[in-house]
Amino acid sequence: MRGLMQDRPLTISALLPRVESNFGHKRIITGGAVETVLTWNEVAPRIRRLTRVLESLGVPAGARVGTFAWNSHRHVELYVAVPSAGRILHTINHRLFSEQITFIVNDAADDILFVDRSILPVIWPLVPSFHKVRYIVVMDDGGDMPIPDDPRILDYETLLDREADGPLDDVVTDEYAAASLCYTSGTTGNPKGVLYSHRSVVLHSLLLLGADVFALSENDVVAPIVSMFHVNAWGLPYAVMLSGSDLLLPGTAMAPKELVSLLSRHRATFSAAVATVWRSLIPMLADHDLSSLRHIACGGGAVDDALSSTYENAIGIPLTNAWGMTETSPVVTTSRLATHHAGMDREARRLLLGSPGPAVPLTEIRVVADGVEQPRDGSSQGELQVAGATIAGAYFGSDAATDAFTADGWLRTGDVATIDERGYLRIVDRTKDLVKSGGEWISSVLLENAVMSDPRVQEAAVIGVADAHWGERPLACVVPHPGVDLTAEDVRAHLRGRVASWWIPERIEMMSEIPKTATGKWSKQALRQRFADSPGDSR
Amino acid sequence: MRGLMQDRPLTISALLPRVESNFGHKRIITGGAVETVLTWNEVAPRIRRLTRVLESLGVPAGARVGTFAWNSHRHVELYVAVPSAGRILHTINHRLFSEQITFIVNDAADDILFVDRSILPVIWPLVPSFHKVRYIVVMDDGGDMPIPDDPRILDYETLLDREADGPLDDVVTDEYAAASLCYTSGTTGNPKGVLYSHRSVVLHSLLLLGADVFALSENDVVAPIVSMFHVNAWGLPYAVMLSGSDLLLPGTAMAPKELVSLLSRHRATFSAAVATVWRSLIPMLADHDLSSLRHIACGGGAVDDALSSTYENAIGIPLTNAWGMTETSPVVTTSRLATHHAGMDREARRLLLGSPGPAVPLTEIRVVADGVEQPRDGSSQGELQVAGATIAGAYFGSDAATDAFTADGWLRTGDVATIDERGYLRIVDRTKDLVKSGGEWISSVLLENAVMSDPRVQEAAVIGVADAHWGERPLACVVPHPGVDLTAEDVRAHLRGRVASWWIPERIEMMSEIPKTATGKWSKQALRQRFADSPGDSR
């Protein structure tokens, strides 16, 4: 017997009426050379006109609409209009290698692209390699890149001006319909597409409002520094449509000085960024009032405790962690202090908040080794697997590998983890980042953290390198703070007593910067390429 | 094109694994002659065994399982086990008139009943009138009612003891399947059934976790005083399975002194009750430490500001309001202070928190007059209508009236309301509670509040009575505080300047108590019956 409740689908199209009814006065602020402040009352008609632009340009239902754009109100307009009108929003990272961009645009068969003018120089040279793209709509974000004289190039504001306001029509009513597409950065093989549904986007947004998740409220000023071309900027642009928070977007103002100024002037209360960005802001903390911040989240890997401690000392709150990936919408866990943590001292609390934490509602996690689910005891290790309505069940496109999912439909994350008896997740390492030395596992993450606990160290990354005797040995790449003299022996001295003696690397490479991936994570692939040709012998 | 996310239904059956994985150590406390404290680790196996009891007793899939029970861990076990096992939980208010109970049990065609021993005296005499009931399972809550010697009577604990623990089997996987059934109290006509789905229960639970709704957190001790036989106790027992809050249930300890003691000793942080209960606790506030309470919600009607003020003075926080009905799961709005309320003084804040507030996510409200949606301007009145995935779309059972729903599928609430430009709802009155005097509407709610703003008044209810001249005139029923001398003229003197002069009632009846409905609201029906035979002439 079915329940007798109203049949109201969970769709992105249903978010806009709510935001207009309750939050028309709330703001979307976009940083940049010219800072813009728009209310939803101003943005909503632009969103509706944008759905008509898609119609006028003949973008077929279900077609992919690619975006190369910073975090801006225009990108928000696309976020809402494209899925609402039954097309699929395909956000693309313009910092990928050219070959990857071409692969992604063609694999998705993008019909049309929306490109920020400041990003056009990167994309325009690649256009000849795009098979299906019919139009490139340029969004003027203040860059001075000359617009090529080409019939395929259209102007965003001109297109909007041509359309009249009116109700959204042909809105999506099937919550399982595809809403948006994002490719994983893919450290090996070709990037793989994750195709979110309206349902998964709305449920994930609702989760972010939860008191023990991000507790997004009407009183918040939410500042996603994480890119809107990367996992929907953690879903935050959609979540504020439910919470009514002001949305503060950096636009092109991504330099550390500009970011801190934005956060401070607009009294941001919540922000999310990767560690590299948080680290870059440190020199500016003393000169800006950031007392409005109540929650700062750090994703893309374990939180460096020295970094978190710097924030706790400078602005009164430590960094918090969240675990997720493109395949998981992304938020699977968020760190938080529970009742059983009462009485912890400041350092222990900070370390706990720097760990992934328990899974959010509707989401299940487990660790599996040799096909067997491991005990939730905080020490049994296995591959982390994830299930839930906001978790990918398959990949989109030509390279849709199937070994990423278990027979019972869980996502295999490739991370090695433990879960304790209260559901707290600890990531031990990426499977491929574990170093197997003499038959024993060394966690590169734990070793990196131990190196970085030295206040003289700015960044450190550990990889495994072939070793004639041990099979594999850890190699540490270490970046000292500017002006600091640091030797490999200093690093080893610091490590003694902090890690098992057999973990201490024989090879320590001092460098001025760790190479980064397009999403700002350390590129262990680049480090491996650099050091793979010099196997050692540590007998 | 469908999204490629995992197909994970939103079901009550999926809540139990989560609560065991993360919150097995969290507690369900049940008050009563013998107070019990159980953890979810203890309750979960009982829930699984209970699903096997249903199987052993031959309760068919989809059959209704009736409950007559207080708020207790046993009732929680039924809340989870019955829907998880594909049967439909049917909670029944034992305080209804006998005829209504018989109607409801037969209309639902209950196959089996679970009855608290302390309630058995009310139910047992009615059993001969129940057409389909095969078994009555008695749950011993400390009452001394002798158990009748009848083969249909079974003992709850004995049945549980007979079953072995094991995985839930035959769990529901269709989120649209019916989960539970609750009849409206029905002031006119027969009670009507609302048939909730797994989906609506899970979504509603998720909403309650929202920062701007009830912000339920693992750190909370949630105390639903609102009955579990009434709209799922606002969904709180399900919500704590997502949030991990401790659950504090009064059991039979419903006397004001016992309630305050429970809230105080167990450091409750959140509680929900109707005004009558909050009012009854006042004499005990001074003697108990209730400083742990962070949010106290008052449902079932507008918040009496004098009552709220008493709480603000006594324990530091005012009462908050929430609007809903059985048909709406129930929470549709929750009061809260938004950014645009900054700078309000204490009294204005309290009045605002005593008003319904804006709609929660996923839920839409509108006011309609003469078939036309009215402007959201805070003054245009019309019937409040509600839409959303947690709102009933039809009634269950034989008396399933259809005029309660609009052609476009919205629920007609029968309340007259306004909505302002920021979505804040104000209930003007029940349509049938408006008094039409000389062609102009008088709001009985506003008039009641004006009478109750007199500190000498304990309770007041206003009804319309026929009047030879004006068509209808308001009649005020007023209960002074014990020991206070108060005359009708005193009441009128208080009203002068507070309401329009033509609102001031000619007829004011002093009484010692306002009759209540089975759900603790004022029974305007009883008052009308009492005074309808004496029409006035107020020329």
Side-chain angles (χ1 to χ4, degrees), chain A residues 1 3-6 8 18 64 175-176 178 195 199 209 211-212 217-218 338-339 359-360 387-388 390-393 409, chain B residues 1 3-6 8 18 64 175-176 178 195 199 209 211-212 217-218 336 338-339 359-360 387-388 390-393 409:
Chain A
M1 188 183 299
L4 293 171
M5 307 306 279
Q6 293 179 18
R8 301 275 164 172
R18 170 177 175 80
R64 268 70 68 203
E175 70 187 45
Y176 290 95
L195 192 63
R199 173 183 166 96
L209 274 54
D212 283 338
S217 152
E218 191 275 339
T339 47
V360 299
T390 59
I391 312 298
Chain B
M1 188 185 295
L4 294 171
M5 307 306 280
Q6 292 178 18
R8 299 276 164 171
R18 170 178 175 79
R64 268 70 67 200
E175 68 185 44
Y176 290 96
L195 191 63
R199 172 182 167 97
L209 274 54
D212 283 338
S217 152
E218 191 275 340
R336 62 181 172 77
T339 48
V360 299
T390 59
I391 313 298

Side-chain angles (χ1 to χ4, degrees), chain A residues 246-268:
Chain A
D246 278 337
L247 186 60
L248 174 58
L249 301 170
T252 55
M254 287 293 285
K257 208 163 66 177
E258 297 171 298
L259 285 175
V260 172
S261 169
L262 274 175
L263 295 174
S264 174
R265 282 184 295 113
H266 295 290
R267 309 293 297 155

Side-chain angles (χ1 to χ4, degrees), chain A residues 456-491:
Chain A
R456 296 169 295 183
V457 172
Q458 180 171 310
E459 292 180 336
V462 169
I463 57 170
V465 287
D467 185 273
H469 182 66
W470 300 104
E472 212 173 36
R473 283 296 294 159
L475 179 153
C477 305
V478 178
V479 180
H481 279 293
V484 171
D485 266 338
L486 192 71
T487 66
E489 188 44 45
D490 292 337
V491 174

